[in-house]
Amino acid sequence: MPARPPDLGAAERPGQSASTVERAADVLVLFTEAPARTLGVTEIADALGLSKPAVHRILTSLRSRRLVQVDEETRRYALGLTAMRLGLAYLDHIDVRRLSAPELGALSRSTRETATLSARVGTHRVYVDQVTPDREVIMSVSLGVPFPLHAGASSKAFLAFLPDAEIDDYLRVDHLSRLTDRTVVDPGSLRLELAAIRRRGYARSFAERQSGAASVAAPVFDHHGVPAAVVSVCGPVERFRGEAEECVDALLAVTERLSALMGYMSGSDR
């Protein structure tokens, strides 16, 4: 027979079980939010307004499931192996397209332009979703069609945030085909532009991939800090040229939320 899960607190009455589980959850959350990697019993008790005996009972139970571990010399606690496995299981089951769907709809409504989601496929990227606005003249993209990583805002938002070695490999091979007369195909010029994109956090394009189209785009980072997807706002170039910068704040708010859901921690959050 499987072992019976340990009681979180033998002194708890049955009616208190829900609150006991909530306190155990609060302890685990505290480890993820505390600036220090380890916590002592007194710190946990003070932070959560619990008694030390209650904290001891909770930590004992969490240790039995390897959700926390203790340094026997310092008697300080840290997250354990099972907590890591839970986090990895969550990350492995993330569906960025599903997560992005409501955000794309809200982004399209707030900007009154087309919002898109792209995924990377090797040295290319493809649109995997879009939401178009309710207006007479709109931009519409073709889902599933591959585009090179150097042409257009969505493509450059991928390329700019790849590891340096991958950028070097891409620029070293003859990938730099010209899609329109505004496509940047000089490796030196492209490197300068990619550096500017990294500094400001988003890419922009005016008729670089498709004549008559313009867009701004930003990456959605995964827990490794590399682009898992790219979100863009796009429209007809004549109209979008004047409103592109107004769309950037809404775009970056969306990609920041989605990156957080993907497990990404920015430098300020680490």
Side-chain angles (χ1 to χ4, degrees), residues 117-121 124-129 142-147 158:
L117 181 72
S118 292
R120 181 186 170 205
V121 183
H124 291 73
R125 61 96 190 168
V126 298
Y127 291 112
V128 295
D129 204 0
S142 299
L143 302 186
V145 177
F147 298 107
F158 269 117

Side-chain angles (χ1 to χ4, degrees), residues 120-157:
R120 181 186 170 205
V121 183
T123 58
H124 291 73
R125 61 96 190 168
V126 298
Y127 291 112
V128 295
D129 204 0
Q130 69 174 321
V131 177
T132 56
D134 183 17
R135 60 194 305 180
E136 187 173 352
V137 180
I138 65 170
M139 272 293 303
S140 180
V141 301
S142 299
L143 302 186
V145 177
F147 298 107
L149 291 181
H150 66 280
S154 290
S155 292
K156 290 185 296 184

Side-chain angles (χ1 to χ4, degrees), residues 15 18 40 42 44 67 92 133 138 181 186 239 262:
T42 300
I44 296 171
L67 286 161
D92 286 342
I138 65 170
D181 60 1
D186 174 67
R239 181 176 73 214
M262 295 292 292

